[in-house]
Amino acid sequence: MNPSLEPEAPERRRVPDWAFAVGLAVSILALVYVPLWAPDPANFVEPQTVGEADPVRPGDDAAGEYVALAEVRPEEEPPAVAAVAIEAFGYDVSVDDMAFTWGASIRNTHGEYTANFGLQVTVEGVELYENGEYEALDSGMTPPGGEVRVGGAFFMEDDFPSDPVVDIKVVRLEWFALDGGMPPEPQVSRQSARLDGVDERDEASRRMQLSVTITNTAAHAIRPSLSAIFHRADGTPVGGVNLFLIEPVPPGDSTRELEIWMKDVPTGADLSLTEFVPTW
């Protein structure tokens, strides 16, 4: 294992327009909701099956109780967009010099209402996320005080500008009240992960391999759903990528070797600070 990520200067290749569009559409990560639902271990019998262990999006069991604020309190002015605070935002260029990477942490600071929103990121006037065009970027029901963490990457057809104008803003914001009271406290995640090391980059395939240990604190197998959020040494998020694990993990620690594209890894990321969070 070689933890060094000093990027070599790869040969610059122009990405076709169709590849840019596809890369843009699939590279934007769904927003990350930190708590994770886990099933009751009593529901499992030997031999334990994994299908029932698939995670359910937090808030799904209460989705029918959420009512649009405009319907339940039409006379009330909805909270301002500023109530959904972008607490951290950073960007970089990928280690293979092929993509723009970005990461953000967003919090619903409102004390009573639940928020559902998307994000729009722009670079030099080029929209990475456009309201109504890409549906993947969705916060889900984010309760008062709830935080979402997200990152992504998209291919660059040209060199990244030396003095870029980069911006991020909340779009498609909707507010909800919970009929009958405050939202229930989200259940604690049964999964966590740590980065053990990084293999040498495979320049031919443009991939990198992460060795990740996943801890399952449940009494039964679960199928992890994780994202890796990359940070600079100062803690600023600068990228993120979904980690797709097909096989379930048993209770306890399990080590997996996971391949990711080099375009998803920011040049300035300190991989020792990689954060793993549940993904939807």
Side-chain angles (χ1 to χ4, degrees):
M1 307 290 286
N2 184 354
S4 174
L5 277 184
E6 283 296 325
E8 301 174 7
E11 180 181 354
R12 185 73 182 177
R13 299 189 299 179
R14 179 173 292 274
V15 179
D17 292 341
W18 66 265
F20 175 84
V22 173
L24 172 57
V26 302
S27 294
I28 298 180
L29 294 178
L31 287 173
V32 176
Y33 196 134
V34 177
L36 179 69
W37 175 91
D40 186 347
N43 293 335
F44 290 84
V45 295
E46 296 294 337
Q48 292 176 348
T49 60
V50 179
E52 294 175 270
D54 289 344
V56 173
R57 183 168 181 156
D60 279 354
D61 55 352
E65 300 178 36
Y66 285 108
V67 182
L69 188 62
E71 296 179 14
V72 69
R73 299 180 184 177
E75 74 289 349
E76 183 173 326
E77 187 73 19
V81 174
V84 178
I86 299 172
E87 296 185 328
F89 173 62
Y91 58 88
D92 207 334
V93 177
S94 62
V95 295
D96 64 358
D97 199 34
M98 296 294 290
F100 167 86
T101 71
W102 63 277
S105 174
I106 307 98
R107 187 178 301 277
N108 173 12
T109 66
H110 197 272
E112 182 179 358
Y113 299 138
T114 292
N116 183 281
F117 56 90
L119 292 176
Q120 185 179 71
V121 182
T122 58
V123 181
E124 295 288 332
V126 177
E127 294 186 347
L128 313 185
Y129 173 83
E130 184 174 353
N131 185 20
E133 183 172 354
Y134 299 107
E135 298 292 335
L137 199 54
D138 188 344
S139 69
M141 292 297 184
T142 307
E147 179 189 18
V148 290
R149 280 165 281 175
V150 62
F154 75 99
F155 285 110
M156 299 186 298
E157 186 171 354
D158 300 309
D159 291 334
F160 192 65
S162 58
D163 188 21
V165 177
V166 182
D167 187 37
I168 182 172
K169 65 181 179 179
V170 173
V171 296
R172 293 190 296 103
L173 174 61
E174 298 177 285
W175 292 100
F176 294 83
L178 189 64
D179 189 19
M182 293 292 290
E185 288 294 326
Q187 295 185 359
V188 177
S189 173
R190 297 293 187 91
Q191 64 181 3
S192 61
R194 71 169 187 268
L195 181 68
D196 295 325
V198 181
D199 280 355
E200 290 284 353
R201 303 204 304 262
D202 184 344
E203 299 290 350
S205 67
R206 313 195 79 83
R207 295 182 181 180
M208 183 182 294
Q209 191 174 69
L210 304 181
S211 179
V212 178
T213 295
I214 300 168
T215 300
N216 171 16
T217 62
H220 52 77
I222 64 172
R223 193 187 303 276
S225 178
L226 294 168
S227 280
I229 305 298
F230 303 113
H231 299 263
R232 291 198 190 102
D234 64 3
T236 303
V238 288
V241 61
N242 284 323
L243 301 175
F244 296 102
L245 290 88
I246 297 176
E247 294 184 358
V249 296
D253 291 345
S254 301
T255 299
R256 297 287 188 269
E257 304 297 324
L258 307 175
E259 282 193 335
I260 60 175
W261 294 101
M262 285 189 286
K263 75 167 185 65
D264 292 316
V265 182
T267 300
D270 181 344
L271 287 197
S272 68
L273 300 180
T274 300
E275 179 184 21
F276 296 93
V277 291
T279 300
W280 304 99

